[in-house]
Amino acid sequence: MTPIISHRVGAPGSDANPHERASELKKDGAVMGTSEAVEILSVDTCWELLRSTTVGRLAVQTANGPDIFPINIAVDGGTLVFRSAEGTKVSAALNGPVAVEADGRDPDADHAWSVVVKGHTQRIHKSEEVLATVDIPLVPWHKGEKPLFLRVQARQVTGRRFPIAGPEAWWTPLSEAPLTAED
């Protein structure tokens, strides 16, 4: 099955993810109401940025509510691969939709980026598929046993890049106000 990978936009005034808010976009892709442009990234750029990182966060729905797990990721074609052991994370990932978020910073341009991949997870269990994943540069940070290889099949990929604001951007007259009546 070929994944449907596209920019999706929420209806104006909806609770849509900021990556998806069409009503805030100008024609040039900049988000209105900001002093500097927020760039909505193409799907190809999103995948390029995902290839540049090895850490992401897997969001799943568990029996106790939503949960987020750090994972080491690698891009394999138009999918993300991660390793894990049996448990809550794997059970939830295999039994419902998932989202994987990764972000990074370009210190030379003083910009940051964020990419979200939404889709479904499949266990990689056929011998030839497992052998094919051995060459993927996927090295978990945690030393524990991670015998399972899992693949996130993307249904939607969105991303944005934005200038990093310095601390002065958040200064207000209250920043220097006394904290107590005695100050």
Side-chain angles (χ1 to χ4, degrees):
M1 180 169 108
T2 303
I4 300 168
I5 304 173
S6 65
H7 288 212
R8 250 186 66 200
V9 293
S14 73
D15 293 341
N17 178 314
H19 293 261
E20 302 170 351
R21 239 178 262 136
S23 62
E24 295 181 0
L25 295 181
K26 293 181 182 178
K27 290 180 183 177
D28 64 359
V31 175
M32 296 189 321
T34 60
S35 59
E36 297 190 46
V38 173
E39 177 187 0
I40 304 302
L41 302 175
S42 70
V43 172
D44 288 340
T45 300
C46 290
W47 284 112
E48 179 182 328
L49 290 168
L50 287 168
R51 283 185 197 90
S52 73
T53 192
T54 60
V55 178
R57 283 156 296 285
L58 175 71
V60 295
Q61 181 67 33
T62 70
N64 295 322
D67 212 340
I68 300 174
F69 299 90
I71 56 172
N72 292 95
I73 58 173
V75 173
D76 184 28
T79 68
L80 291 176
V81 176
F82 68 98
R83 293 179 66 171
S84 189
E86 292 288 352
T88 302
K89 171 177 40 181
V90 170
S91 177
L94 291 172
N95 291 302
V98 300
V100 177
E101 190 273 344
D103 47 43
R105 178 180 181 181
D106 178 354
D108 296 331
D110 210 25
H111 279 71
W113 57 268
S114 174
V115 172
V116 175
V117 175
K118 295 179 183 175
H120 287 86
T121 305
Q122 298 174 332
R123 186 185 309 245
I124 300 172
H125 51 75
K126 292 182 181 176
S127 298
E128 60 274 7
E129 290 177 352
V130 173
L131 289 174
T133 63
V134 172
D135 291 335
I136 297 172
L138 182 60
V139 182
W141 284 357
H142 184 257
K143 190 176 179 179
E145 188 176 331
K146 299 185 184 310
L148 304 178
F149 285 80
L150 299 122
R151 181 181 309 280
V152 177
Q153 296 285 346
R155 293 202 185 280
Q156 179 184 16
V157 178
T158 59
R160 62 188 187 146
R161 183 176 6 234
F162 50 89
I164 296 172
E168 69 280 354
W170 300 105
W171 184 91
T172 70
L174 293 175
S175 297
E176 296 178 13
L179 299 178
T180 66
E182 296 173 8
D183 287 345

